[in-house]
Amino acid sequence: MASRYDRAITVFSPDGHLFQVEYAQEAVKKGSTAVGIRGTDIVVLGVEKKSVAKLQDERTVRKICALDDHVCMAFAGLTADARVVINRARVECQSYKLTVEDPVTVEYITRFIATLKQKYTQSNGRRPFGISALIVGFDDDGIPRLYQTDPSGTYHAWKANAIGRSAKTVREFLEKNYTDDVIANDSEAIKLAIRALLEVVQSGGKNIELAIIRRNQPLKMFSAREIELQVTEIEKEKEEAEKKKSKKTT
Amino acid sequence: MAATFFGEVVKAPCRAGTEDQEEEEEGRRETAEDREVRRQLARKREVRLFRRQTKTSLEVSLLEKYPCSKFIIAIGNNAVAFLSSFVMNSGVWEEVGCAKLWNEWCRTTDKTHLSPAEAFCVFYHLKSSPSVLLCQCSCYVAEDQQYQWLEKVFGSCARKNMQVTLLTCRHVTDYKTSESISSLHSPFLKALKTQNFKEPPCCSLLEQPNIVHDLPAAVLSYCQVWKIPAVLYLCFTDVMKLDLITVEAFKPILSSRSLKGLVKNIPQSTDILKKLLTTNEIQSNIYT
């Protein structure tokens, strides 16, 4: 009977579930999709943009946020929880830099965020953070990293992953299409992220936001025009591939 | 008298009876005022069926006035949106009646132009084939009103040669299963049918110990008693407000015999559905 064990975060159910944490993972599924890809020389974050009300300032509805010059993250889930986590992570990045005189590694800041999330699964009177995050960046050694955290406070390194609504569909697409050839080329990695999102995004390129980090370069957010160009290229390639297929069958 | 955990003294009812019993009975006897209040409340909660264009009420039950061979009933906003986009756009449907009812959760409106956000219960028949009847019910029909609704719509005698298809949604947390929550991929469809419904349903049957509630349960029970073939398609979803993915979960029903002839243009239906959703969208910034 789930209802007796899901009221308080600090209570395990007889079969070992922490229901509040599992319910927090359901809150993540209510957020729009975010995808992260780790290439050889590039890391890509793509998100499904939420439709913005006419009178709303678009700049305040961002799913991709920079944590430092070389690290950025995308989240899915409760907006307010994400804001709190991002603020804490940003402060930690600067505090670390001032203390140790080196920028944070991607793994360090991911572990910080994950530890913060885990604390909230073990305190009474608090609820877990209802967000999952994809954290990308380059370390000083020039190696690209992609990590994913979830409300339970676990974190793992990934080659490519998706979170939020329809994450399963996007992950399956990535499993089929993520190859070493694709990720060796920067523009192919970008196209892979966009193609993965187009599998689930309702109205095409205008609802996609994209950010990339290249080795030793700052975060770059793609403009709507640049994304449209990529989407047009992808559609052209798809048409050509279909033409070739139909030629082969005839 | 009993003491609670916090030390307060509470008067507990005594089954042995007390000296004060007679006084208590007097207090409980109904006054004329109570009866009047009860009468007014019953009148307020009456289910009325009428035609919006003429503002006249129906003297007989709806099915007596408009006998049909196919009766499709959508209950809830997602089911209503599904029928509006996929069934009602292919053909001309004429409104034949509207149910007006009041309860604590809904006050139905009788305006001529209804928005998707309002509560209503409207009946239509297909002009080109008047034996097909459709009901769009986006209001909550309370337990005490369900019998009245059934009487006013179905009447109190058996209907021959009729098939009823019901569509509704329920929250996935009401779905009882031994599997873990994470293995359920909502939204998903389950079917429950009466004994006389011989066609294979478009999805798997609803397993025990799950039960159906509210108006769909009342209609199914009525159909079972009067031996009318009826099937309920129940969509378990985690989004109870109007949602594209939930509405599209009803798509397998389009291949059923009752809906096959009624659906013509599916790509256009998807566009109509998207328009319906954008007009009804309340900007929510809780989830990003």
Side-chain angles (χ1 to χ4, degrees):
Chain A
M1 274 285 249
S3 52
R4 279 155 61 196
Y5 302 99
D6 62 5
R7 297 289 149 81
I9 180 61
T10 51
V11 176
F12 274 105
S13 71
D15 55 350
H17 285 277
L18 278 173
F19 283 109
Q20 279 300 307
V21 175
E22 290 181 23
Y23 297 162
Q25 281 163 342
E26 292 301 308
V28 171
K29 288 186 200 159
K30 287 196 152 39
S32 56
T33 321
V35 69
I37 292 180
R38 188 187 81 195
T40 319
D41 305 306
I42 191 174
V43 284
V44 187
L45 274 180
V47 298
E48 178 186 354
K49 239 180 0 187
K50 225 179 67 152
S51 55
V52 175
K54 256 190 185 168
L55 299 172
Q56 198 172 38
D57 190 337
E58 212 186 51
R59 290 171 303 170
T60 53
V61 187
R62 285 264 181 264
K63 249 169 101 80
I64 303 178
C65 311
L67 299 180
D68 203 344
D69 298 327
H70 61 298
V71 187
C72 78
M73 86 171 224
F75 65 90
L78 287 160
T79 323
D81 285 8
R83 190 186 66 233
V84 168
V85 168
I86 289 168
N87 280 345
R88 300 269 267 269
R90 283 172 172 168
V91 166
E92 179 61 21
C93 285
Q94 297 315 305
S95 169
Y96 184 94
K97 203 188 275 185
L98 289 167
T99 315
V100 179
E101 292 179 6
D102 279 329
V104 292
T105 58
V106 184
E107 195 270 341
Y108 175 87
I109 197 63
T110 308
R111 195 165 6 106
F112 173 81
I113 292 172
T115 312
L116 174 68
K117 285 183 178 180
Q118 191 281 336
K119 272 198 204 129
Y120 279 66
T121 68
Q122 223 174 4
S123 310
N124 56 344
R126 294 187 191 189
R127 61 163 178 79
F129 284 102
I131 64 159
S132 276
L134 288 171
I135 301 155
V136 296
F138 277 85
D139 286 339
D140 253 354
D141 54 11
I143 300 180
R145 311 270 182 201
L146 165 64
Y147 288 94
Q148 187 237 335
T149 65
D150 66 20
S152 63
T154 54
Y155 73 96
H156 298 279
W158 289 77
K159 294 179 188 168
N161 199 4
I163 52 174
R165 190 154 220 183
S166 321
K168 190 167 178 280
T169 315
V170 177
R171 211 174 295 124
E172 282 167 2
F173 176 87
L174 290 170
E175 281 171 9
K176 281 193 204 127
N177 294 279
Y178 183 95
T179 59
D180 289 330
D181 296 328
V182 164
I183 55 141
N185 183 322
D186 287 0
S187 57
E188 287 301 312
I190 295 170
K191 281 206 194 106
L192 179 64
I194 298 178
R195 276 164 52 213
L197 278 173
L198 286 173
E199 290 286 304
V200 296
V201 163
Q202 303 294 333
S203 10
K206 48 187 166 73
N207 273 18
I208 293 179
E209 216 164 60
L210 202 81
I212 59 164
I213 303 183
R214 287 196 165 99
R215 192 174 289 112
N216 298 323
Q217 286 182 38
L219 167 72
K220 174 178 166 18
M221 293 286 302
F222 272 46
S223 65
R225 178 102 184 91
E226 285 168 314
I227 296 175
E228 265 315 305
L229 284 167
Q230 294 281 345
V231 171
T232 323
E233 249 186 76
I234 289 169
E235 279 167 1
K236 238 190 249 170
E237 285 170 12
K238 217 179 180 178
E239 268 178 47
E240 279 168 18
E242 272 168 17
K243 268 188 206 158
K244 272 191 193 158
K245 231 186 191 176
S246 56
K247 267 191 193 161
K248 270 190 186 165
T249 49
T250 51
Chain B
M1 298 296 196
T4 65
F5 181 77
F6 299 104
E8 59 191 268
V9 174
V10 178
K11 188 173 178 183
C14 173
R15 279 149 46 149
T18 61
E19 288 169 4
D20 304 329
Q21 211 176 350
E22 280 178 27
E23 282 180 31
E24 282 176 17
E25 271 185 22
E26 263 185 47
R28 262 188 259 129
R29 226 172 281 150
E30 219 178 48
T31 63
E33 200 182 327
D34 292 332
R35 277 193 290 271
E36 183 54 33
V37 166
R38 221 183 291 278
R39 219 176 290 135
Q40 280 187 14
L41 199 62
R43 221 175 296 146
K44 199 173 183 187
R45 294 178 78 84
E46 239 176 63
V47 176
R48 278 179 283 264
L49 225 63
F50 65 102
R51 292 207 67 158
R52 276 192 297 190
Q53 297 91 330
T54 57
K55 300 233 176 196
T56 51
S57 50
L58 262 69
E59 311 83 27
V60 293
S61 72
L62 188 81
L63 290 187
E64 219 171 293
K65 186 142 189 200
Y66 300 100
C68 68
S69 57
K70 268 191 209 174
F71 194 4
I72 306 162
I73 309 175
I75 302 168
N77 50 9
N78 283 301
V80 163
F82 174 76
L83 281 192
S84 297
S85 349
F86 287 87
V87 176
M88 293 189 75
N89 72 323
S90 44
V92 180
W93 294 82
E94 188 192 358
E95 190 183 312
V96 295
C98 162
K100 187 157 186 217
L101 55 95
W102 180 95
N103 57 54
E104 292 77 7
W105 296 273
C106 107
R107 294 143 181 81
T108 52
T109 48
D110 52 0
K111 293 189 339 226
T112 27
H113 295 290
L114 294 163
S115 82
E118 286 172 304
F120 56 87
C121 181
V122 188
F123 300 86
Y124 304 89
H125 76 179
L126 189 58
K127 254 189 161 167
S128 56
S129 167
S131 68
V132 179
L133 215 69
L134 196 140
C135 168
Q136 302 270 56
C137 181
S138 78
C139 60
Y140 175 71
V141 182
E143 290 89 356
D144 57 315
Q145 295 171 318
Q146 283 160 18
Y147 180 72
Q148 277 188 63
W149 191 97
L150 282 170
E151 260 205 331
K152 296 260 159 80
V153 175
F154 283 82
S156 34
C157 52
R159 302 267 153 233
K160 297 230 164 78
N161 306 319
M162 180 172 80
Q163 193 184 75
V164 178
T165 308
L166 289 143
L167 280 74
T168 192
C169 281
R170 194 84 192 161
H171 203 275
V172 72
T173 47
D174 285 339
Y175 183 65
K176 296 167 183 60
T177 172
S178 53
E179 294 169 34
S180 91
I181 315 163
S182 46
S183 65
L184 289 175
H185 300 298
S186 59
F188 56 90
L189 221 56
K190 289 287 174 188
L192 192 63
K193 58 190 182 76
T194 60
Q195 211 164 9
N196 288 62
F197 187 84
K198 300 297 177 200
E199 258 175 67
C202 305
C203 59
S204 53
L205 290 175
L206 187 66
E207 308 90 350
Q208 287 193 357
N210 290 290
I211 59 171
V212 177
H213 303 78
D214 304 327
L215 189 62
V219 176
L220 268 184
S221 306
Y222 177 93
C223 293
Q224 174 69 4
V225 164
W226 290 104
K227 297 189 171 41
I228 301 171
V231 65
L232 163 69
Y233 289 107
L234 182 51
C235 177
F236 285 99
T237 173
D238 50 357
V239 183
M240 285 310 282
K241 64 178 179 80
L242 202 56
D243 168 62
L244 182 69
I245 299 179
T246 306
V247 175
E248 292 196 327
F250 282 110
K251 268 185 170 165
I253 305 172
L254 296 175
S255 56
S256 72
R257 205 148 55 115
S258 52
L259 288 185
K260 223 181 211 165
L262 301 171
V263 181
K264 272 158 209 147
N265 198 341
I266 295 189
Q268 200 186 53
S269 311
T270 323
D271 291 330
I272 296 175
L273 178 60
K274 282 192 188 148
K275 245 185 237 168
L276 210 73
L277 286 161
T278 45
T279 50
N280 194 45
E281 215 175 71
I282 307 163
Q283 183 67 19
S284 165
N285 293 310
I286 302 177
Y287 301 101
T288 301

